Amino acid sequence: MSERTGTSTSTAAGTGTGTGTGTGTGTRRSRTDVRQGVRRASAFLARRSLKTHRRAWAAVFVATTAAAALIGAFTFVLGSLLPAQPPVERYAGADAVVAADQKVTYTAKPWGSEPKTATTYLSERVRLDRSVVRKAAAADGVAKAVADDSVPVTVSGGTTGPGAPGGAGAASAVGRSWESAVLTPYRLTDGHAPRTSFEVVIDRALAAAAGSKPGSHVTLQFDGAPRVYTVSGVADTAHRGAAPAVFFTEQRLTALAGHPGTVDAIGIVAEKGVPAGTLRASLAAALPDRAHGDRGIRVLTGSERGQAEYVGALGARGDLLPLLASITGTVLMVALLVIATTLSQAVHQRSGELALLRAVGATPRQLRSAVGREVSRVTGVAAVLGGIGGVPLGLLMRSLLTTDPLPLPVPVWLPFAAGATAAVLVALAARPVSMLAARSITRLRPAAALSAARAPESDEPGRVRTVFGVVLAVAGAGSAGAATAQGGQAAAVAASGAATSLIIAVALLGPWIARVAVRVLGTPVRRLGGVSGFLAARSATAHHRRLGAAITPIVLVVAFVCVQLAAGTTLERAAGRQAADALRADLVVTGPAAGIPSDAAEAVRRAPGVSAATGLLRSTVVLSHREAGDPALDSFPVLGVTADQLSGTLDPRVTAGDPADLTGRGTVAVGKDRADDLGAGVGDTVRLRLGDGTQVRLRVVALYERSLGLGEFMLPRETLAAHVSAPRDQQILVRSTDGDAASAVRRALAPYEGVRVRAATADDVRISPSSSDQDDALIIIGVGVIGGFALLAVVSTLALITVGRRPEFRLLRLVGAGRGQLLRMRVLETGLVTVAGLTIGTLVAAIPLLAFALTTTGSLPYLPPAQYGVLTLTVTAAAAAGTLLPGARGGRFQNAVDRQ
């Protein structure tokens, strides 16, 4: 007994030990086996599904590839714009350039937060005090410090010396001192350096154009009547990017420049063997903190030297960057929305299949893993191809935005970084979207899934989706309302935010919107289409989710294109109307790119038959203010006018004060809306920074209404003249007494080279041109590229939906529907989707556009009918391509009875 018991105990113990060890090992093995089984099952399901649903996944592949290409292209453009620098031409021979800081800042403390600083670039050159030249020359490692000024020059062949060829036509050039020739560098190829005030050295290109050589004469015109100079020498440079130049003695150039106490910049030639870093540190230690006024001093080396020549280049980049960043944000939103829509529709169309797999025992983990594998394989390849395709698209966009003098570089790493960024963003976004779309089926119990497999489509959007959609719709309407209470840039930002919120709200509330669309459009479809109309209306009524998914991309493209186009055309139309209404002059004098000499306007006034003539000196001012508590700096283009000539040439529609008081250097006329924002009236003062950063306090002498056409501020010409890079008029407006003073004006301007007289138009006086190369490029990029992508999304989404309906088409053929009836049904469905999408998209665009237009122009938004007609036709064609072409095969299935 005891032996048996002991044996039994021993056996039991041994069994227990063995069982325990086996259980632990078996548990680990079983978990590994489970994971491997899940992976094998999900991989098997993914492979079979990709083959079975290859047409549906093809639509997803196309949309995802295009989204990745678009994201990569904009990343490429932004990456090339950030390090962009103006070219080094004038200072190619200098080791460093000392220049004044072209930036202005404004710091303020918003309520409840730390102080913030706003920054903007100045449009006019900020000059250095001439004493800085001596301090720079005394710095360690400096061999030579050269004061560099410039004046615009018009060159024409005049009387020539013995044996020289005759004169030639006028040409624009830059006047510089001969001492500054070393900065490019120029070298004499013939003759000698200028020794007197009326000797000049001209570069080889000008010498060839004017037919000049040493000893001959050339006619030069600055800010006054032309004068004849003797050519003492001809110079040439190996740097072919340099502008045509005329060199004077330093004393003569200083007198012509008109600012003897300041210099434009200082070119530095270093001692032999001094590295750039050492030179920069030495100059920084030797120079004062301030230039001329409150601007700092910069020491520029390497590629930075071009900033001292092209003072407006970084400002142009600063203006372009936020615009491109805003468009890039829209691109990202559009791309993610398209990816989410197509993936959700692709997964939702398989809800019956997924439910059946769940009913026969597939675990939620297996289903999620299978869907994830499918999506990863499709979108992974698409993301890589799209990232690669984004590089040539980015190069195309870059070519549109590249303007003088700011070429956009292409660093070696940029194409790889842009493609990788796009691929990663798309790949990361795709899988969570697909998991979320499959969640409603994979989480069901097998028994419930069996019922879902029989009727898998649920048109009721989730509660979370509905709540978010309503919140965004309310937020969009609120932003549009906020835009009406603001002005300027703040109104534009609020309107843009409203459009974005409303577009996303439409995507989330698609099924609900589809129900309303069916109720409104279903009756006409049934009445007009007969049996086909009945089928189309019933199909739309039964599948609101599918209809909402079809409408969403159309709403996206219509709303986006309408907002982008109508915002610009509304402003252009209002500004053009105001400029046309303000124009009283019948003639305008225009000149070369360097401008018209300042005394030309006085010569025109003395011409017979002229009742009034005012030169228009254009510049900018900077206004510091707060937007929603944050500091902001806004630049506004301004006109410098002659007060006693203004009423005869322009009518700004004065509401208070008198523009005739616009005299001296302490007065300003302000647009009425801007004055209301500033809380200023006639007699009050406003603080502005002029184009070179000089702070001024100006007394308001008049308020006027036509600020969209003429600008927010008008200043006396003498106020602007001392603070611009070159005080030359861009136009001269002329009012004739009898309407026929053109001949007299031409005779009065005969001494001035390159000027022309013609009939005046609204574009001559409006504060900014109706269109610029940069604006056109942004329209092409914003509307063409993004709109084209949105249209591709329309085609791919509708094609995906149509491919998923082939079983429905087969069933309709089985029950007796004819091919013609199915075709008419699809045509009517396409019409229903298109009309609904166009209507809702137009409404979504109209809400923010109405707020923006009423705030900025006081009128309704305007989109040329031709542009809206082209948009309508394009959207209709895209919808037809997505709906009819993939479904054509479904109408050709043979009737089941005929096949038996």
Side-chain angles (χ1 to χ4, degrees), residues 271-295:
E271 295 176 350
K272 201 166 186 178
V274 176
T278 303
L279 181 64
R280 180 194 289 267
S282 174
L283 287 168
L287 297 178
D289 294 334
R290 300 294 173 188
H292 183 71
D294 62 346
R295 304 269 65 76

Side-chain angles (χ1 to χ4, degrees), residues 207-287:
S212 300
K213 65 180 183 179
S216 64
H217 295 82
V218 66
T219 302
L220 305 179
Q221 186 173 41
F222 308 97
D223 196 17
R227 302 191 68 166
V228 177
Y229 288 77
T230 300
V231 178
S232 66
V234 177
D236 196 11
T237 178
H239 192 78
R240 296 305 173 190
V246 178
F247 296 97
F248 302 82
T249 63
E250 186 172 5
Q251 294 79 8
R252 180 60 175 164
L253 192 280
T254 301
L256 291 173
H259 49 86
T262 58
V263 297
D264 289 350
I266 303 171
I268 304 296
V269 178
E271 295 176 350
K272 201 166 186 178
V274 176
T278 303
L279 181 64
R280 180 194 289 267
S282 174
L283 287 168
L287 297 178

